[in-house]
Amino acid sequence: MDLADRAVPRSIIGWFVVCWGTFLLASVVVGALLLSLYEQSTTEQLRRASAAVAHGCDAIAARYQFFTTGATRAPADVHDPDLTRGLTGVVQIALRDLNGVEGGIWQRGEGSLAYAFPTYEGTGQKTDLPEAELPSIREAADTAALDGAPFDRRREGRAQTLLLHACPLPGPVPGLSAWTMARVPTTGGQAYIQAMAGLSVLLLVVLGSAAWLGRLLLGWSRRLQRVEAALTSSNDELPKLDLTGQRDLDRIVEAINRAGIRLAEARRTSEALVRQVAEANRLATLGRVVAGVAHEIRNPIAAMRLKAENAVAAGPDLARKDNALRVIVEQIGRLETLLRNLLSSVQRAPLVALPVKDVAAFLTERIELFREQAAEQGLELEVCGGGAEARFDPARIAQAIDNLILNAIQNTPAGGRVTLSAERIGDRMALSVADTGRGVPEEVRAHLFEPFVTGRSEGTGLGLAVVREIAEAHGGTVRAVHRSDGTVFVLELPWRPS
């Protein structure tokens, strides 16, 4: 099937070439058949002429035997006019039904005694021996008379083939023989003219079709090149193509122009819809952000107001006032963290890429910041993997890793483990934070890295959004791998050696 597909042309020009090649092959075959037919016709003519001259010689011998019936001795003068007329009549009667055959009676030593060409197509009766063939006639006739057996001679010429046959004539006159001769044209004859005419017509047709198809192919090629150049020069939209003047190709051009108009209209409609969807998404996102911020700010403000009221009502109770102020400070810190994460998720500060010689040591530094907090919750922190090197913004990546570690600690029960690792995979550096926690709820997995999406009631939902923004700022990605025994967050960055 594949071979058949490759053998079939896949372009109009290819089909034209195949069609013309098939026509050329058919012309060659027909020409060969014409030549073969001509050769067969010439061969048949030679066979018939050869049979005719042999039959004519036999006919002369039979008529001569009848003519000399009763004669017992040779005439005194073989050139006697009466004898010459009689022998000439014998030849004429014998050859009158054999078209194109001439002949005569020959005596060795004396020469021609009679000659006739009854089917001669010239003006008048031909009575003279053909001078050009006289040596061949003498040789054939003398040989037949001496040997007492028929003798054949065939001489090929440029325009004709000469067939000569001689046979002995036994009787009262010694040394007599009959001869017959025929000429078969090989060039210049009717069969030759027909064959050459057919071949000439074929040659003209082949050359004419080659010129016509060549011009047609050249025109097609130029028109297609213009269409291709116009389409190639277009950047976004289909250009309006000019008609080529070729009916079939112009139908394609008009279809492309109509498709270009529809495409431009569809593009304008699509752009309008994209703007509307973007505006709707922006408003929806803004609404979610405003709702999330309002929700996250309301609780700390309510707590601070309550504690402030308690401090005012405490009077001289300094311990109660100190407790109220401490809670207010904690809530202010919570608000600062919320605002910092919110700003990190919407603002992209320029990266400051620095060499990091040992990524494992970098991860160990991040773990040490949370070692005490993890110990209070009964968790183990560890770093796996060798000391790979890389180049990235340490401050931004540290912020992302800190968020992932904090997220893992908050979602892992006592007795669990949080493991950090670094691994180079091809042209990427993968930083992983794995926990043995409760996993991510099914309902939030699809929107895990969006702002204010969280599975914990006390969470802000901004930590993972910040991680995504930092990863994308580095040209990388972040993903979550959900396992039966916990969750792995993989931060992939383009690897650049330090």
Side-chain angles (χ1 to χ4, degrees), residues 211-434:
W212 179 74
L213 282 175
R215 181 180 178 182
L216 185 62
L217 291 177
L218 183 60
W220 263 92
S221 179
R222 289 177 176 174
R223 293 183 178 98
L224 288 176
Q225 287 176 358
R226 288 198 297 268
V227 172
E228 182 181 6
L231 291 174
T232 303
S233 61
S234 176
N235 295 325
D236 296 329
E237 298 183 357
L238 289 177
K240 187 178 186 305
L241 303 177
D242 297 329
L243 296 180
T244 63
Q246 211 289 328
R247 183 179 303 172
D248 296 331
L249 190 57
D250 283 345
R251 289 204 297 267
I252 299 175
V253 170
E254 291 173 352
I256 293 176
N257 289 337
R258 291 194 295 270
I261 295 174
R262 292 195 298 270
L263 180 60
E265 294 176 352
R267 184 186 297 276
R268 288 191 292 269
T269 303
S270 176
E271 290 175 352
L273 290 175
V274 167
R275 288 193 296 270
Q276 293 176 6
V277 171
E279 181 66 16
N281 289 337
R282 188 184 69 82
L283 294 176
T285 302
L286 181 60
R288 289 197 301 271
V289 170
V290 171
V293 170
H295 174 75
E296 293 298 329
I297 291 178
R298 183 186 299 115
N299 292 336
I301 290 178
M304 286 188 293
R305 179 178 181 179
L306 178 61
K307 292 300 179 179
E309 291 175 351
N310 289 338
V312 172
D317 189 352
L318 296 179
R320 187 176 175 183
K321 290 182 178 181
D322 291 342
N323 182 61
L325 291 174
R326 186 175 62 255
V327 172
I328 291 174
V329 171
E330 291 177 355
Q331 296 303 319
I332 291 174
R334 181 179 176 184
L335 289 176
E336 288 180 348
T337 302
L338 173 64
L339 292 176
R340 185 174 60 253
N341 287 337
L342 183 61
L343 290 175
S344 297
S345 64
V346 298
Q347 291 181 351
R348 290 192 176 184
L351 297 178
V352 180
L354 298 174
V356 178
K357 293 294 185 179
D358 191 340
V359 179
F362 172 79
L363 297 179
T364 302
E365 292 178 1
R366 309 322 304 165
I367 275 186
E368 292 302 326
L369 298 177
F370 297 90
R371 183 78 67 183
E372 183 177 350
Q373 182 179 354
E376 292 177 357
Q377 296 185 208
L379 303 178
E380 294 183 8
L381 301 181
E382 63 179 359
V383 176
C384 297
E389 62 173 356
R391 187 180 183 88
F392 49 74
D393 188 330
R396 301 296 300 279
I397 296 299
Q399 183 183 2
I401 296 298
D402 290 349
N403 284 349
L404 292 177
I405 295 174
L406 182 60
N407 180 78
I409 292 175
Q410 292 171 347
N411 289 278
T412 303
R417 177 183 294 104
V418 177
T419 304
L420 276 67
S421 61
E423 180 184 7
R424 180 185 169 191
I425 304 174
D427 60 348
R428 313 284 284 181
M429 171 65 70
L431 306 178
S432 302
V433 178

Side-chain angles (χ1 to χ4, degrees), residues 49-66:
S50 179
V53 294
H55 177 69
C57 196
D58 292 340
I60 292 175
R63 297 299 302 175
Y64 174 76
Q65 185 178 5
F66 178 78

